CSV table of all heavy atoms in Angstrom, one decimal:
chain,number,residue,atom,x,y,z
A,107,ALA,N,7.9,-7.4,18.7
A,107,ALA,CA,8.6,-6.7,19.7
A,107,ALA,C,8.5,-5.2,19.5
A,107,ALA,O,8.3,-4.8,18.4
A,107,ALA,CB,10.1,-7.1,19.7
A,108,PHE,N,8.5,-4.5,20.6
A,108,PHE,CA,8.3,-3.0,20.6
A,108,PHE,C,9.4,-2.3,21.3
A,108,PHE,O,9.8,-2.7,22.4
A,108,PHE,CB,7.0,-2.7,21.3
A,108,PHE,CG,5.8,-3.4,20.7
A,108,PHE,CD1,5.5,-4.7,21.0
A,108,PHE,CD2,5.0,-2.7,19.8
A,108,PHE,CE1,4.4,-5.3,20.5
A,108,PHE,CE2,3.9,-3.3,19.2
A,108,PHE,CZ,3.6,-4.6,19.6
A,109,VAL,N,9.9,-1.2,20.7
A,109,VAL,CA,11.0,-0.4,21.3
A,109,VAL,C,10.6,1.1,21.0
A,109,VAL,O,10.1,1.4,20.0
A,109,VAL,CB,12.3,-0.7,20.6
A,109,VAL,CG1,13.4,0.2,21.1
A,109,VAL,CG2,12.7,-2.2,20.9
A,110,ILE,N,10.9,1.9,22.0
A,110,ILE,CA,10.7,3.4,21.9
A,110,ILE,C,12.0,3.9,21.3
A,110,ILE,O,13.1,3.7,21.9
A,110,ILE,CB,10.4,4.0,23.2
A,110,ILE,CG1,9.1,3.4,23.8
A,110,ILE,CG2,10.3,5.5,23.1
A,110,ILE,CD1,7.9,3.6,23.0
A,111,GLY,N,11.9,4.6,20.2
A,111,GLY,CA,13.1,5.2,19.5
A,111,GLY,C,13.5,6.6,20.0
A,111,GLY,O,12.9,7.1,21.0
A,112,PRO,N,14.5,7.2,19.4
A,112,PRO,CA,15.0,8.5,19.9
A,112,PRO,C,14.0,9.6,20.1
A,112,PRO,O,14.1,10.4,21.0
A,112,PRO,CB,16.0,8.9,18.8
A,112,PRO,CG,16.4,7.6,18.2
A,112,PRO,CD,15.2,6.7,18.2
A,113,ASP,N,13.0,9.7,19.3
A,113,ASP,CA,12.0,10.8,19.4
A,113,ASP,C,10.7,10.3,20.1
A,113,ASP,O,9.7,11.0,20.0
A,113,ASP,CB,11.6,11.3,18.0
A,113,ASP,CG,12.7,12.4,17.6
A,113,ASP,OD1,12.9,13.3,18.3
A,113,ASP,OD2,13.2,12.2,16.5
A,114,GLY,N,10.7,9.1,20.7
A,114,GLY,CA,9.6,8.6,21.4
A,114,GLY,C,8.6,7.8,20.6
A,114,GLY,O,7.6,7.5,21.0
A,115,HIS,N,9.0,7.5,19.4
A,115,HIS,CA,8.2,6.7,18.5
A,115,HIS,C,8.2,5.3,18.9
A,115,HIS,O,9.2,4.7,19.4
A,115,HIS,CB,8.7,6.8,17.0
A,115,HIS,CG,8.8,8.1,16.5
A,115,HIS,ND1,7.7,9.0,16.5
A,115,HIS,CD2,9.8,8.8,15.8
A,115,HIS,CE1,8.1,10.2,15.9
A,115,HIS,NE2,9.3,10.0,15.5
A,116,ASN,N,7.0,4.6,18.9
A,116,ASN,CA,6.9,3.2,19.2
A,116,ASN,C,7.2,2.4,17.9
A,116,ASN,O,6.4,2.4,17.0
A,116,ASN,CB,5.5,2.9,19.7
A,116,ASN,CG,5.3,1.5,20.1
A,116,ASN,OD1,6.2,0.8,20.4
A,116,ASN,ND2,4.0,1.1,20.2
A,117,ILE,N,8.4,1.8,17.9
A,117,ILE,CA,8.8,1.0,16.8
A,117,ILE,C,8.6,-0.5,17.0
A,117,ILE,O,9.0,-1.0,18.0
A,117,ILE,CB,10.3,1.2,16.5
A,117,ILE,CG1,10.7,2.7,16.5
A,117,ILE,CG2,10.8,0.6,15.2
A,117,ILE,CD1,9.9,3.6,15.6
A,118,GLU,N,7.9,-1.1,16.1
A,118,GLU,CA,7.5,-2.5,16.2
A,118,GLU,C,8.0,-3.3,15.0
A,118,GLU,O,8.0,-2.8,13.9
A,118,GLU,CB,6.0,-2.6,16.3
A,118,GLU,CG,5.4,-4.0,16.2
A,118,GLU,CD,3.9,-4.1,16.1
A,118,GLU,OE1,3.3,-3.0,16.0
A,118,GLU,OE2,3.4,-5.2,16.1
A,119,VAL,N,8.4,-4.5,15.3
A,119,VAL,CA,8.7,-5.4,14.2
A,119,VAL,C,7.8,-6.7,14.5
A,119,VAL,O,7.8,-7.1,15.6
A,119,VAL,CB,10.2,-5.8,14.1
A,119,VAL,CG1,10.4,-7.0,13.1
A,119,VAL,CG2,11.0,-4.6,13.6
A,120,VAL,N,7.1,-7.1,13.5
A,120,VAL,CA,6.1,-8.2,13.6
A,120,VAL,C,6.3,-9.2,12.5
A,120,VAL,O,6.5,-8.9,11.4
A,120,VAL,CB,4.7,-7.6,13.7
A,120,VAL,CG1,4.3,-6.9,12.4
A,120,VAL,CG2,3.7,-8.7,13.9
A,121,CYS,N,6.1,-10.5,13.0
A,121,CYS,CA,6.0,-11.6,12.0
A,121,CYS,C,4.7,-12.3,12.3
A,121,CYS,O,4.4,-12.6,13.5
A,121,CYS,CB,7.1,-12.6,12.3
A,121,CYS,SG,7.0,-14.1,11.3
A,122,GLN,N,3.9,-12.4,11.3
A,122,GLN,CA,2.5,-13.0,11.5
A,122,GLN,C,2.5,-14.4,10.9
A,122,GLN,O,1.4,-14.9,10.7
A,122,GLN,CB,1.5,-12.1,10.9
A,122,GLN,CG,1.4,-10.8,11.7
A,122,GLN,CD,0.2,-10.0,11.3
A,122,GLN,OE1,-0.9,-10.5,11.5
A,122,GLN,NE2,0.4,-8.7,11.0
A,123,ARG,N,3.6,-15.0,10.7
A,123,ARG,CA,3.7,-16.4,10.2
A,123,ARG,C,3.8,-17.4,11.3
A,123,ARG,O,4.4,-17.1,12.3
A,123,ARG,CB,4.9,-16.6,9.3
A,123,ARG,CG,4.8,-15.8,8.0
A,123,ARG,CD,6.0,-16.0,7.2
A,123,ARG,NE,5.9,-15.3,5.9
A,123,ARG,CZ,6.8,-15.4,5.0
A,123,ARG,NH1,7.9,-16.2,5.1
A,123,ARG,NH2,6.7,-14.7,3.9
A,124,ALA,N,3.2,-18.6,11.1
A,124,ALA,CA,3.4,-19.6,12.1
A,124,ALA,C,4.9,-20.0,12.2
A,124,ALA,O,5.6,-20.0,11.2
A,124,ALA,CB,2.5,-20.8,11.8
A,125,GLU,N,5.3,-20.3,13.4
A,125,GLU,CA,6.7,-20.7,13.6
A,125,GLU,C,7.0,-22.0,12.8
A,125,GLU,O,6.2,-22.9,12.8
A,125,GLU,CB,7.0,-20.9,15.1
A,125,GLU,CG,8.5,-21.1,15.3
A,125,GLU,CD,8.8,-21.0,16.8
A,125,GLU,OE1,8.0,-21.4,17.6
A,125,GLU,OE2,9.9,-20.5,17.1
A,126,GLY,N,8.2,-22.0,12.2
A,126,GLY,CA,8.6,-23.2,11.4
A,126,GLY,C,8.0,-23.2,10.1
A,126,GLY,O,8.1,-23.5,9.1
Side-chain angles (χ1 to χ4, degrees):
F108 302 82
V109 175
I110 302 298
D113 280 305
H115 303 309
N116 184 19
I117 312 302
E118 172 186 1
V119 170
V120 58
C121 176
Q122 297 193 52
R123 294 181 178 184
E125 190 169 32

